[in-house]
């Protein structure tokens, strides 16, 4: 009776996705924007896992896509943090509005 169904997971995923979009659109701090992107990617992962479990339980496609997304997210976070550290050293700020130059 109290099992977690596909609808519950989709609602959680949708909430995480829109929280991430809201955070990305409203925040100017680059670290916060990076965390918002991670929320969006995690909501996609929840969708892949949920659909894999409830629709194609005998296949592992959703699991493989989730592992791929986690790998890409880790690489994206490493590159983004490197860029943010470089911008902080140059501009003494991690505000997105201050980073308006492509070349120093």
């Amino acid at each position: 009776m109290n099992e977690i169904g596909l609808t519950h997971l989709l609602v959680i995923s949708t909430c995480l996705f829109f929280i991430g979009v809201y955070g990305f659109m409203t925040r100017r701090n680059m670290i916060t924007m990076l965390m918002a992107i991670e929320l969006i990617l995690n909501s996609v992962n929840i969708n892949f896992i949920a659909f894999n479990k409830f629709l194609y339980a005998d296949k592992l496609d959703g699991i493989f896509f989730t592992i791929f997304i986690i790998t890409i997210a880790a690489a994206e976070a490493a590159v983004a943090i490197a860029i943010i550290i470089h911008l902080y050293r140059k501009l003494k700020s991690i505000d997105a509005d201050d980073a308006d130059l492509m070349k120093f």
Side-chain angles (χ1 to χ4, degrees):
M1 182 87 181
N2 290 331
E3 294 180 13
I4 297 175
L6 180 61
T7 307
H8 296 100
L9 293 173
L10 293 179
V11 168
I12 290 172
S13 174
T14 304
C15 290
L16 275 179
F17 181 81
F18 283 111
I19 289 170
V21 168
Y22 177 76
F24 185 77
M25 300 298 266
T26 58
R27 300 295 181 166
R28 296 290 89 201
N29 186 328
M30 290 186 197
I31 298 292
T32 309
M33 293 170 75
L34 180 64
M35 290 177 7
I37 291 172
E38 296 298 325
L39 276 180
I40 293 170
L41 290 175
N42 282 330
S43 72
V44 172
N45 287 338
I46 290 172
N47 272 342
F48 276 127
I49 295 294
F51 283 121
N52 187 56
K53 180 180 184 228
F54 288 101
L55 297 181
Y56 304 104
D58 55 338
K59 296 182 179 180
L60 296 175
D61 294 344
I63 305 294
F64 291 139
F65 276 115
T66 301
I67 292 171
F68 180 72
I69 289 173
I70 290 171
T71 306
I72 296 299
E76 169 254 334
V79 171
I81 289 173
I83 291 171
I84 291 169
I85 289 172
H86 180 73
L87 283 174
Y88 179 74
R89 288 182 180 165
K90 292 289 182 183
L91 302 175
K92 303 295 181 201
S93 172
I94 55 172
D95 191 67
D97 292 332
D98 293 339
D100 56 352
L101 298 174
M102 294 295 289
K103 184 177 179 182
F104 293 105

